[in-house]
Amino acid sequence: MTEQLLIWIPVLPLIAAAVVGLFGNRLPRSAAHLLTIAGVGAAFVLSTIVFKATLAGFTHNADLYTWLVSGDIRFSVGFLIDNLTAMMMVVVTFVSLMVHIYTIGYMHEDPGYSRFFSYISLFTFAMLMLVMSNNFMQLFFGWEAVGLVSYLLIGFWYTRPTAIYANLKAFLVNRVGDFGFLLGIGLVLAYTGSLDYAEVFNAAPALADTQINLFSNTAWSLMTVTCILLFVGAMGKSAQVPLHVWLPDSMEGPTPISALIHAATMVTAGIFMVARMSPLFEMSTTALSFVMTIGAITALFMGLLGIIQNDIKRVVAYSTLSQLGYMTVALGASAYSVAIFHLMTHAFFKALLFLGAGSVIMGMHHDQDIRNMGNLKKYFPVTWITSLIGSLALIGTPFFAGFYSKDSIIEAVKFSHIPGSGFAYFAVMAGVFITAFYSFRLYFLVFHGKEKWREAKPHAHHDHDHGHHHGLAPDQDPHEPGWVVKLPLILLAIPSVIIGYIAIEPMLFGDFFNGVITVNAEAHPSMEHLTHHFHELLHTPAGMALHGFLTLPFALALAGVVLSWFFYMKRPDIPAAIQQRFSLINRILENKYGFDSFNERFFAGGSRLIGDKLWQIADVKMIDGAIVNGTAKLIGTLSGVVRQVQSGMLYHYAFAMIIGAFLLLNKNFLISIKTLFITFLSKIF
C-alpha cells in the first residue's frame, strides 16, 4: 500500500469539485455529474482496497508534510490508517456515491445543478480529511470544512429566507460547539506539547492525576475538563442537546444533502472523534457520565418530537437526533465499538430513509406534508419496499442491521454502572417504543390508507425544496421517479438488511478494533460483560436475533408499531382527541421544549441587544460623539478664538510682541501680579 494511493482518495473528489465549481458553466450539464461521480466512485474503490488491506493487518501513520513550525510545536498534515479509519472511509464514500447518483434525478431541473455537485463532492473531500487525520490540526481543518460545506448546502437555495435562516443557525450553533472543541485542543497542546494523536495518547497517562485551577482556588481534573471540552465540539457537530437546534432546520436544503450530511456522515463526526479519543476519555469517569447523560436526554426527548411532525423530512430528522443520542450513550458507557457499529449501520438505513422521502417528495410534486399522502405503495413499489426495510432496521427488528447495533447499545448501558447509567437505560428503552411509533406513523400515513390528496386539502403545504406551492391535483396520480433514483435505494437497502449480521462479531467481539480503541475494563467493564453475554448465551448473530424476539425491546417496538397502526389506520379520531385533551403537552412539543425561542430571545436577542447598546454608547456617543465629533468641535472652538487674534494688522502683531517681551523680561512683575490676585480672591472668599 503506497502513500500516493492514500493521497488520491481525498484528492480525487477535491479535483472534481474544483473543476465543476470553477468551470461548470462552461461545461455540458452532464459533465457535472460525470466528473464528480467518477471522482467519488474512484475514492470508494480505493477506500475498499485500503479496507481490505487493513483487515489483513495493514496500518499507516505518517506525516505528508509539515505545514508550520512554531518553537517546538509542529503543525503537520498526515494520515492515520487503521480499521476505524478504513471503515469510515468506505461508509463515507459509498453513501456519498449513492447520493451523487440519486442527485441526477432529484436536481435535474434545478439551475444550480453544477454548483450542487461541486458542493457535495467538496463535502466528501472534507469528511475524508477529517477521518484520515493523524493529528488535531488536520482534524480541526476537516471539522470546519464540513461545517462550511454544510452551510453552503443548507442555504443552497439562497433566495429563500427560511434557507438563509437555517444555514445561519447551523453555522452559529456549530461555532459554539467548535469554540469548546478548540479550547479542548488548546489544553491538549498546552500539557502534552504536541498535536499528534500518537504522541498525545502516549503522554496522557502521566497527566491522569493532573489538576488545574479554572476558577479561584477550585481544582479540576485536567482530563475531565479536556474531554468535556472536546465533547462540546461533538455536541455541536453531532447535534446533542442543547446544541441540537440546527439539525431539524437544516432540512431546508435539498433532500440529497439531508441524507449525505445530516444523517450519514457529518453528524457522526462527533461520534467518530470521541471514539478516536478513547485513550483520553477512559481517564475520566466524570466526562463519560456527562457524555452518557447528554446522549440519553437527546435520545429520549428528541424522539418524542418526532411523534408530532407532519413534514416527511423532519420526522426522519428527529429520528436522526434520537439515534445520535443512542450512539452518544454508547460512548458514555465506554462501548466505543458499539457506537461506531451503530454509526455504520445507521448510515445505510438512515440515508435510505431520507432518499426514500425524497422519492416520495418528487412523486408528490414536492408536497412534504404526510397528511396529504396515503396508499403510495400502489404508485411507489420500490420506494415502498425500501422504506419499509429502512423503517424495520431503524426500530431494531431482529435480523435487520439496526437490531444488532441498537440492541448492543441497550445491553451495554444495562451493564454500565457509571453515574447516569440508570436514567440512560430508561431513556434508550423508552426510545425503542417511541422510535417504532413515529417511524410507522410515517410509514402508514404515507404508504397505506386513503389517497388523501384527492380530498379537499385542509392543511396548507408548500414546497420546502423550491419555495412555492406544489402538490398533486385531486385527479392526478403520483409517479415513482426513474432508476437513477431507485437504484441508490436498492443498493442502500441491501446493507440495511445484512451488514449488522456480518459485522457484529468482528467489530464488537473480535479483534477489529484492537490497538485502535482503548477501554479500561477494570473501571468500565460494560464491553467485557457484553462480550461474555454474547459468547455464553447468544453464541452467533442468528442466535442473537432469535433471542431478540423474546426480549423487552422487541416487545416495545412491536407495541409501537401496533399502536401506530391502530391510531392512524383504524381510529384516527383517537390521536386527534389526545392532542386536544393534552393541548399543553402538545404545545410544549410543538415549541420544541422552548429551545428555539429561548435561543432566539436570550442568546440571539441578547447578542443583538448588547450589540445595539455597544453601537449606541461606544460607537455613536463615545467614538463618533466624544472622540471624533468632540475633537472636531473643540478644534473648531479653539480655531474661532485664535482666528480673532489673527487680524492681519501689522501694528497688532507689533503690539503683541512688545507685550510678550515685557512680560518675559519682568518675571518679578508677574509674580507681584499673581500675589495680588491671590490676595484679592482671599479677601472676597
Side-chain angles (χ1 to χ4, degrees), residues 566-645:
F566 181 71
F567 274 8
Y568 296 99
M569 292 291 97
K570 295 297 181 181
R571 293 291 304 276
D573 59 302
I574 295 179
I578 293 173
Q579 183 177 348
Q580 188 174 5
R581 181 74 178 271
F582 299 95
S583 57
L584 177 62
I585 296 174
N586 184 70
R587 198 155 55 248
I588 292 171
L589 294 175
E590 285 183 343
N591 290 330
K592 307 169 190 174
Y593 309 114
F595 277 109
D596 278 355
S597 56
F598 176 77
N599 288 335
E600 288 175 11
R601 292 177 183 178
F602 185 79
F603 289 111
S607 299
R608 284 195 298 269
L609 180 64
I610 293 170
D612 286 342
K613 295 301 179 184
L614 287 174
W615 164 67
Q616 293 171 6
I617 298 171
D619 192 23
V620 176
K621 293 183 178 180
M622 294 178 64
I623 297 173
D624 284 347
I627 299 175
V628 178
N629 296 334
T631 303
K633 188 176 180 180
L634 178 62
I635 292 172
T637 303
L638 293 174
S639 300
V641 174
V642 174
R643 193 181 299 117
Q644 302 302 319
V645 179

Side-chain angles (χ1 to χ4, degrees), residues 524-583:
H524 311 124
S526 295
M527 281 305 299
E528 195 173 75
H529 292 321
L530 188 64
T531 304
H532 182 266
H533 177 74
F534 180 83
H535 289 313
E536 295 298 320
L537 181 63
L538 307 176
H539 305 294
T540 64
M544 181 177 175
L546 292 172
H547 179 264
F549 287 109
L550 306 175
T551 60
L552 181 58
F554 177 75
L556 289 171
L558 183 62
V561 173
V562 172
L563 190 65
S564 66
W565 170 81
F566 181 71
F567 274 8
Y568 296 99
M569 292 291 97
K570 295 297 181 181
R571 293 291 304 276
D573 59 302
I574 295 179
I578 293 173
Q579 183 177 348
Q580 188 174 5
R581 181 74 178 271
F582 299 95
S583 57

